[in-house]
Amino acid sequence: MANMIMIDNLYPKVDVSELCIAFGKYGRILSADIEYDKNLISVGKGFVHFAEISSAEIAVKEMNEEKNKLGNPIHVKLIENREKNNPRNSVEPDETKIFVSNFDLSWDECDMLKEFKPYGTIIEVKISESDGKSNGYGFVKFVESSSAKGAIEMLNGKMINNKQLIVEPFIPWQLREKQRNSLDNVKVMDVEWNNLHVKNLRKDIKEDELKRLFQNFGSIISVKVATDEKGQSKGFGFVCFKKDEDAAKAREQMDHFTYKSKTLEINFNQKKSARQKYLHAIRKDSKIRSFTDGREKGCK
């Protein structure tokens, strides 16, 4: 039975809670999801799984092609069980696509096109943005995989405007997750799943500003910016949520988010004893590089 619907053409900032509010009036929802790309940017597609097929059918009838706060308009249709034919489960690397980062924030897509078009015919160029400002990374898709390979070989590490360009194969986030989750070299204990360790903060950020940055994700118990003996910020802090799931959502959405020209690095906080064990493991195994969600991320 097709109890699930797919909603397309969603606005980028629509989240799961808004989907549940909009479609909850049609019946009991078992699950809901928003699909994101590897950089946790919405692709404008969502899914709602109802307990009853009749709820899904009514939702499609009443919401398909409607203009509302979710999209203008949204496209809603019935689909089979997503797990049976889920692109996340069968995703393959795209050898014609490359990931480009660490370029000048003044670059637009025309600058990107100019830099990469000597290596082959380009289908698509995209620079990631937040609030109309470049995040300093993007994507280039060629017609031929050989063009992508040539661009990587020639441009990775090139200095442009005093910045060393990073050009590497595009790996869908689903595959990165599988690779990361397969590394069980260290068993990390004593993780505070509701407490986020936020790195790479501006030195002038205050605790109330840090709280405002995360408060939309859920109820916050405490916020702390780490300081030295002179009271100066060390460039990192902690945001402790009341609920683990709110912390997980905040980490998912905000890790590698650019805020005031600084790219945030966010992990669940480890207690000191666990962190010491982890650092000891790093010294023994060069493949382990950073703590993420209770497992380790391999070398990139």
Side-chain angles (χ1 to χ4, degrees):
M1 298 291 282
N3 295 13
M4 185 173 287
I5 60 173
M6 181 178 73
I7 308 99
D8 209 351
N9 203 36
L10 293 169
Y11 291 134
K13 293 187 177 181
V14 171
D15 61 22
V16 170
S17 64
E18 291 175 287
L19 276 188
C20 291
I21 291 171
F23 287 92
K25 60 185 178 182
Y26 298 110
R28 185 163 65 92
I29 294 175
L30 298 179
S31 65
D33 192 16
I34 297 288
E35 197 159 290
Y36 297 92
D37 66 16
K38 67 182 285 291
N39 292 293
L40 303 179
I41 298 172
S42 170
V43 299
K45 184 182 296 184
F47 301 86
V48 175
H49 187 188
F50 289 99
E52 304 292 337
I53 180 61
S54 57
S55 301
E57 290 173 340
I58 296 171
V60 170
K61 183 178 179 180
E62 294 193 4
M63 294 290 280
N64 187 39
E65 304 303 325
E66 283 292 311
K67 297 179 180 180
N68 51 46
K69 65 180 182 179
L70 299 179
N72 186 25
I74 57 172
H75 312 308
V76 186
K77 66 178 183 180
L78 287 169
I79 62 171
E80 293 299 324
N81 190 324
R82 193 174 171 212
E83 294 302 318
K84 294 180 181 179
N85 188 25
N86 187 351
R88 291 187 181 190
N89 295 333
S90 58
V91 66
E92 296 291 338
D94 185 348
E95 295 182 353
T96 66
K97 193 172 183 180
I98 58 177
F99 177 67
V100 186
S101 61
N102 203 41
F103 51 79
D104 197 293
L105 296 180
S106 66
W107 268 24
D108 59 21
E109 288 167 3
C110 291
D111 295 313
M112 184 88 85
L113 181 64
K114 181 180 179 181
E115 192 66 41
F116 285 88
K117 69 179 182 180
Y119 300 94
T121 303
I122 293 174
I123 298 174
E124 181 184 12
V125 173
K126 177 66 177 176
I127 291 178
S128 173
E129 296 182 345
S130 297
D131 298 324
K133 296 182 179 180
S134 170
N135 289 323
Y137 64 84
F139 312 89
V140 179
K141 182 174 175 62
F142 292 92
V143 171
E144 302 289 341
S145 60
S146 58
S147 300
K149 183 178 180 181
I152 292 170
E153 290 177 351
M154 298 303 296
L155 292 178
N156 185 41
K158 181 180 178 180
M159 295 297 298
I160 301 177
N161 296 338
N162 294 319
K163 295 179 74 70
Q164 188 172 33
L165 201 63
I166 297 173
V167 185
E168 55 190 2
F170 172 83
I171 302 176
W173 70 268
Q174 299 96 324
L175 293 183
R176 287 180 181 258
E177 287 293 297
K178 288 180 181 179
Q179 293 168 359
R180 173 173 56 80
N181 292 343
S182 66
L183 293 174
D184 289 322
N185 298 313
V186 177
K187 185 177 181 181
V188 180
M189 306 296 291
D190 295 325
V191 178
E192 297 175 323
W193 299 107
N194 67 324
N195 194 11
L196 298 180
H197 182 198
V198 186
K199 295 172 61 178
N200 208 28
L201 294 169
R202 284 175 58 98
K203 293 297 182 68
D204 59 354
I205 195 169
K206 304 299 182 185
E207 289 175 353
D208 57 348
E209 183 180 356
L210 183 58
K211 182 177 181 180
R212 287 195 300 271
L213 190 59
F214 286 88
Q215 64 186 6
N216 289 336
F217 295 101
S219 179
I220 293 175
I221 298 174
S222 64
V223 174
K224 176 67 177 178
V225 173
T227 57
D228 59 22
E229 62 277 3
K230 295 181 179 180
Q232 300 297 313
S233 170
K234 293 182 178 180
F236 68 90
F238 304 88
V239 179
C240 187
F241 287 86
K242 184 176 181 180
K243 297 180 179 179
D244 293 359
E245 55 266 35
D246 292 337
K249 183 178 179 181
R251 179 185 176 275
E252 178 180 305
Q253 297 279 343
M254 297 296 286
D255 188 31
H256 293 104
F257 176 76
T258 300
Y259 181 68
K260 292 186 175 180
S261 77
K262 303 284 283 185
T263 301
L264 303 182
E265 297 179 22
I266 304 174
N267 288 312
F268 296 108
N269 189 47
Q270 280 179 289
K271 293 182 180 179
K272 186 176 180 180
S273 59
R275 183 64 181 171
Q276 289 174 338
K277 290 179 182 178
Y278 173 69
L279 292 174
H280 178 70
I282 287 179
R283 288 191 288 271
K284 288 188 173 183
D285 190 343
S286 61
K287 292 181 179 180
I288 305 172
R289 283 293 179 267
S290 61
F291 168 74
T292 53
D293 63 348
R295 304 179 182 90
E296 281 63 43
K297 184 184 296 182
C299 299
K300 292 185 179 180

